[in-house]
Amino acid sequence: MAKSRQLHHSSQQVRHIFWAMVLVGYACSIAGCDSSASVSQVTKTITAVSSTSTAPKISVLECAGDEQSPKLSSGWKLVWQHTFDNPLALPPIIDGSQVAPLERADPVPNQYKDTIWMFDAATASMQWHFDGSAALNLAEHWIDLTAWSPTYFAIALHDSNAPREFVIVFNRLTGQVAYQAELQALEMAVSDDALFYRSGERRLYRIDLPSGNQRWNDSRTDYIWQGLYASGEWLYAFIGITSPQDGLEILKYRADNGTLVNSVKVVPVYEVLAKGLQGIGRTGTGIALFDLSNLTTTWETDLGSHFTTINDSNAFWDNPSRVTLTQDAVYLFDAQRNLVKITLTDGKIAWTVSFSDVEPMSKPAAVAGIVYGLFSDGTVRAFSEADGSQLGNVMKVPLWYWRRGEAKPFRNLVGGVGVANDLLIVTTGCRSIYAIRRDK
């Protein structure tokens, strides 16, 4: 997936996000949990890399014990763990072997201080970080969008105290700034030679990288877009619906000169994820698969109920996507909290797993024949890709969990799971990030 997006809240109001999301868990209570001495040694080494922030510590947020090494059930191994000074706001932002945790020094709405860190998951080494307070002299700021290419990593950053926004493109390996400008990006994508973004006046632009020269812009000013996706010589723009009768319009541009070569309306969808030449869209009550080579709908599957976009808890709060796209399947949590596998070739539901007493916190992750999910009791659960059977509880960790009506204040934090090569990466809305591997 080329793009990840975060939601900014004001007075706890929620906007739609497209595409580019129980009380605190304590020590492991899973029967048969065990940990190894080798893990603790790795953890001590990695934890030595620390943030320079002096903001209030996580104890305010009830994540007690989040710096401790978790105990894992038999069959899984903690490869590394890093504990920051402040909580991690989002599920893992990942592309290939690189993981970009987003540290939030003050998660009170409208008072954020966000820092992006870049890790190599394979070696557990911190490569670089970017702090808007130091780099841009901003007192309070939050990161709204991220985008990847093989060469670059881009962010959109907002000044909380002024109507100013910045787009910054980094060399993803070194952190060197390739492009920086004060501009508003409602959506963006990045390739190895260009930044594409839709501006505040709703126009589409291409900026050459690393020169920063504007090559072209498109004057189309549709109000609702659902993302941009750059793939090879093409740029795809997804134009959103304005009423239930409308369909998603997919625009296919030549990336080099901005020529619109095709425009097709397909079934109505509310979210688009793209990988390769396939796009998956979340419809009102199901899922649709698109072939981006010819802009056709491959199949549409009805799940029988509407997806929810606003919850009474922080689950999915800043990462509303419930969908994960792999090479052969779609995995998702539906509105009833069921974990569902849909076969990519024909759109048929392969299996469904139901949960009555826990709430999934973000979309599932799949790696090496296993599907993982993080749940509201702080437990990471594992399921077989083949038939959905539960393989066990991987671990239980401190979790930031909030429900509407609780006495404790809202914090703009949510955890989740992701995959970096063969590693499962876990964040929980607390300070630690974990890398886990199946111990064969």
Side-chain angles (χ1 to χ4, degrees), residues 70-378:
K71 294 182 179 180
L72 277 70
S73 296
S74 176
W76 281 272
K77 177 182 179 181
L78 179 66
V79 180
W80 56 264
Q81 172 185 350
H82 178 83
T83 300
F84 294 83
D85 285 348
N86 305 286
L88 301 178
L90 297 178
I93 303 169
I94 302 173
D95 188 69
S97 179
Q98 285 185 288
V99 181
L102 192 153
E103 183 186 17
R104 179 155 288 165
D106 191 346
V108 176
N110 300 319
Q111 297 180 16
Y112 311 142
K113 300 178 183 68
D114 286 354
T115 299
I116 279 283
W117 297 80
M118 190 65 71
F119 280 81
D120 183 341
T123 62
S125 59
M126 192 274 287
Q127 297 171 306
W128 55 271
H129 75 280
F130 177 82
D131 178 1
S133 299
L136 299 173
N137 196 28
L138 301 178
E140 296 165 348
H141 47 87
W142 51 281
I143 293 172
D144 173 62
L145 297 170
T146 62
W148 300 86
S149 81
T151 300
Y152 296 115
F153 177 72
I155 65 171
L157 183 143
H158 298 250
D159 183 350
S160 299
N161 296 318
R164 296 194 302 162
E165 301 179 15
F166 301 85
V167 170
I168 307 167
V169 182
F170 306 91
N171 179 299
R172 59 184 288 173
L173 294 179
T174 66
Q176 181 178 357
V177 175
Y179 173 77
Q180 177 178 316
E182 185 175 333
L183 57 85
Q184 183 181 26
L186 302 179
E187 288 86 20
M188 71 177 182
V190 64
S191 69
D192 272 1
D193 62 358
L195 168 73
F196 304 93
Y197 73 95
R198 188 169 74 106
S199 66
E201 69 271 19
R202 302 186 300 275
R203 292 196 176 196
L204 178 62
Y205 289 87
R206 170 184 167 134
I207 303 296
D208 288 347
L209 296 175
S211 69
N213 296 327
Q214 178 187 314
R215 181 177 294 201
W216 56 261
N217 73 85
D218 182 39
S219 60
R220 182 165 180 157
T221 57
D222 302 81
Y223 277 86
I224 301 178
W225 286 39
Q226 298 193 5
L228 297 172
Y229 175 57
S231 179
E233 61 182 314
W234 307 112
L235 175 70
Y236 299 90
F238 303 96
I239 308 298
I241 63 174
T242 56
S243 70
Q245 292 74 35
D246 293 337
L248 174 78
E249 187 172 7
I250 305 177
L251 307 181
K252 185 177 183 179
Y253 293 90
R254 281 190 57 117
D256 58 350
N257 60 23
T259 301
L260 181 62
V261 298
N262 203 356
S263 174
V264 175
K265 272 200 173 185
V266 292
V267 298
V269 297
Y270 299 87
E271 175 191 12
V272 178
L273 305 173
K275 180 183 292 186
L277 289 176
Q278 293 181 314
I280 196 79
R282 188 161 58 85
T283 68
T285 60
I287 291 289
L289 180 71
F290 309 110
D291 185 338
L292 296 180
S293 64
N294 53 24
L295 306 191
T296 58
T297 303
T298 305
W299 50 256
E300 182 180 0
T301 298
D302 189 2
L303 297 175
S305 62
H306 284 271
F307 286 85
T308 56
T309 55
I310 301 177
N311 289 340
D312 287 329
S313 74
N314 65 319
F316 293 93
W317 201 286
D318 276 338
N319 186 37
S321 172
R322 295 172 183 265
V323 181
T324 293
L325 176 62
T326 68
Q327 291 184 343
D328 59 2
V330 177
Y331 299 94
L332 60 95
F333 287 109
D334 67 11
Q336 279 68 48
R337 305 176 183 177
N338 298 315
L339 176 60
V340 182
K341 176 182 179 178
I342 300 175
T343 306
L344 200 59
T345 53
D346 55 16
K348 293 183 178 179
I349 297 175
W351 49 257
T352 300
V353 180
S354 300
F355 307 93
S356 59
D357 56 347
V358 290
E359 182 177 12
M361 297 302 296
S362 69
K363 66 182 181 179
V367 59
I370 302 175
V371 184
Y372 296 90
L374 173 67
F375 294 83
S376 55
D377 59 353

